[in-house]
């Protein structure tokens, strides 16, 4: 196994071999702020998704990509923990096979924890991709409100994974379950965060009851990068609600020891090193990443979506505050609730809009929406998440 972290060379073309017959070409067109990667010969993968030979892949500036290739003989690069990650996948697959043979219980419920920038989401993607390639249908649960991989930042959700992630686009977001939290950190409202976490756990269990393949495959749970104080409490709450049987702790030994004391022999606690090549991000970089995720929701990762801008009368909608103060540039979550008799917090979200302008005199606002008018529901939830549309 060989691991190569892609580092941006000078503008132009760089061709290199990973090992044996595997050969890649990396091109950085001058002035475009993008990199293009092509597999020329052999076999390789990116976070568990196989590269297709001669298919050109495009990555935006700032993308972190790791390319791996596997061989029949045993070789371990000192810079990568991939062998340990593969062993984890094999252990999870053995648990699935045991459930499959006995036709009882649920497959592995795995929660991946650790501080920020240790590769939690990368390991989630790796485990999900490997499971799907084995014919499994795991559920991906995302409790990381800072990034919002299933929805947008400030949201939490779950998604049934049926095919490997596209290297450029990620996992197909078909019928995702998304809930609105409204903040990019659990700290402002621990009670609300735990309530939504419990709601997702309940629906995930229902999915297991209805889908045998999902039941056998289990779930992979991504978490926030906060592992002390409130952060630790919400981890314990989520572990109990999802009835996890495996917790993978990346990098931080103290959290590993705390969880060992917390759960004893009830849960298998695994300590693994962080992903190779991860970089600690600044607050500015994190904000930029959040903006990119919101922008991708409306415009697509390749800027190939065409959102709509139209006016909405205040009289036609109701806005409920979870976070945030003023409306301008705020992201609003559109609840699936049809009446106020439903619990808006525990009702899933069917989409998001951004308030571009507010006209108090006319009692109107101008919104950016992924779909044309009319709006399918009228109950909106305000959030702390803001987005300024400079496309």
């Amino acid at each position: 196994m060989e691991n190569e972290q892609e580092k941006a060379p000078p503008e132009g073309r760089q061709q290199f071999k990973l090992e044996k017959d595997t050969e890649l070409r990396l091109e950085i067109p001058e002035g475009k702020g993008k990199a293009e990667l092509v597999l020329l010969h052999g076999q390789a993968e990116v976070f568990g998704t196989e590269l297709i030979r001669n298919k050109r892949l495009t990555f935006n500036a700032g993308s972190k990509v790791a390319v791996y290739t596997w061989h029949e003989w045993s070789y371990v690069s000192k810079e990568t923990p991939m062998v340990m990650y593969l062993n984890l996948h094999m252990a999870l697959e053995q648990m699935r096979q045991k459930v499959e043979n006995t036709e009882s219980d649920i497959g592995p419920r795995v929660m991946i924890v650790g501080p920020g920038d240790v590769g939690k989401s990368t390991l989630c993607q790796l485990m999900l991709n490997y499971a799907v390639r084995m014919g499994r249908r795991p559920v991906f649960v995302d409790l990381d409100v800072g990034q919002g991989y299933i929805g947008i930042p400030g949201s939490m959700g779950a998604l049934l994974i049926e095919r490997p992630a596209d290297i450029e686009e990620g996992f197909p977001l078909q019928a995702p379950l998304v809930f609105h939290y409204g903040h990019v950190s659990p700290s402002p409202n621990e009670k609300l965060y735990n309530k939504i976490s419990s709601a997702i756990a309940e629906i995930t269990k229902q999915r297991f009851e209805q889908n045998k393949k999902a039941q056998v495959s289990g779930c992979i749970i991504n978490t926030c990068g906060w592992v002390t104080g409130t952060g630790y409490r919400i981890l314990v709450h989520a572990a109990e609600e999802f009835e996890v049987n495996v917790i993978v702790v990346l990098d931080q030994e103290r959290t590993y020891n705390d969880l060992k004391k917390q759960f004893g022999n009830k849960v298998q606690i695994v300590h693994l090193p962080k992903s190779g090549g991860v970089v600690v991000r600044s607050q500015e970089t994190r904000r930029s990443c959040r903006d990119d995720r919101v922008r991708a929701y409306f415009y697509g990762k390749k800027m190939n979506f065409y959102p709509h801008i139209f006016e909405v009368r205040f009289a036609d909608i109701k806005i409920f505050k979870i976070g945030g103060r003023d409306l301008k540039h705020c992201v609003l979550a559109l609840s699936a609730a049809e009446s106020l008799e439903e619990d808006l917090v525990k009702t899933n979200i069917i989409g998001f809009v951004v308030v571009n302008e507010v006209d108090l005199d006319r009692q109107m606002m101008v919104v950016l929406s992924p779909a044309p008018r009319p709006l399918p529901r009228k109950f909106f939830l305000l959030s702390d998440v803001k987005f300024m549309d400079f496309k």
Side-chain angles (χ1 to χ4, degrees), residues 153-387:
S155 66
M156 304 156 68
L159 180 69
L160 182 67
I161 305 298
E162 299 183 281
R163 59 179 62 92
D166 181 270
I167 294 175
E168 297 171 297
E169 300 282 351
F171 289 111
L173 296 178
Q174 297 177 346
L177 176 70
V178 180
F179 288 87
H180 180 68
Y181 172 66
H183 311 278
V184 295
S185 168
S187 59
N189 198 330
E190 180 182 352
K191 184 177 180 181
L192 174 61
Y193 184 96
N194 285 341
K195 186 173 183 179
I196 295 174
S197 179
S198 297
I200 297 174
E202 181 180 346
I203 295 173
T204 301
K205 292 173 187 175
Q206 293 172 4
R207 170 58 66 91
F208 289 151
E209 293 172 0
Q210 298 165 1
N211 189 319
K212 178 64 177 177
K213 272 198 168 184
Q215 178 186 343
V216 170
S217 304
C219 62
I220 305 292
I221 306 168
N222 189 32
T223 61
C224 295
W226 190 14
V227 292
T228 59
T230 301
Y232 181 79
R233 291 197 299 271
I234 64 172
L235 288 176
V236 172
H237 175 85
E240 293 173 344
E241 290 296 294
F242 282 92
E243 299 178 0
V244 301
N245 49 10
V246 178
I247 298 178
V248 179
V249 183
L250 293 182
D251 192 47
Q252 197 166 75
E253 191 170 351
R254 177 180 174 180
T255 303
Y256 167 78
N257 291 327
D258 289 343
L259 290 170
K260 288 283 285 186
K261 293 177 183 177
Q262 182 82 40
F263 292 102
N265 296 325
K266 299 178 184 176
V267 178
Q268 185 176 357
I269 315 292
V270 181
H271 186 226
L272 293 177
K274 63 183 178 180
S275 298
V278 294
V279 178
V280 177
R281 295 171 294 175
S282 65
Q283 289 298 321
E284 182 179 351
T285 301
R286 289 177 180 276
R287 284 192 294 269
S288 178
C289 288
R290 286 196 286 268
D291 283 346
D292 288 344
R293 295 203 68 80
V294 178
R295 184 175 293 105
Y297 173 79
F298 290 100
Y299 291 99
K301 290 187 177 180
K302 295 182 178 180
M303 305 300 283
N304 55 342
F305 295 171
Y306 299 93
H308 302 262
I309 297 177
F310 52 84
E311 291 184 332
V312 177
R313 296 191 306 167
F314 288 156
D316 294 336
I317 61 173
K318 292 185 181 296
I319 300 176
F320 297 86
K321 178 181 176 182
I322 285 184
R325 293 182 178 86
D326 58 336
L327 278 175
K328 192 170 183 180
H329 302 308
C330 263
V331 175
L332 300 180
L334 182 57
S335 174
E338 296 184 354
S339 75
L340 291 179
E341 293 180 3
E342 301 177 56
D343 187 341
L344 295 184
V345 170
K346 295 181 68 175
T347 303
N348 64 292
I349 297 304
I350 58 176
F352 300 90
V353 302
V354 171
V355 181
N356 283 350
E357 298 289 342
V358 177
D359 189 334
L360 295 178
D361 292 333
R362 298 174 57 221
Q363 291 291 288
M364 303 273 281
M365 64 182 185
V366 178
V367 301
L368 176 71
S369 168
R373 68 177 105 198
L375 294 168
R377 298 287 191 276
K378 67 177 182 179
F379 300 128
F380 281 95
L381 301 174
L382 183 61
S383 78
D384 277 338
V385 181
K386 287 183 175 285
F387 175 70

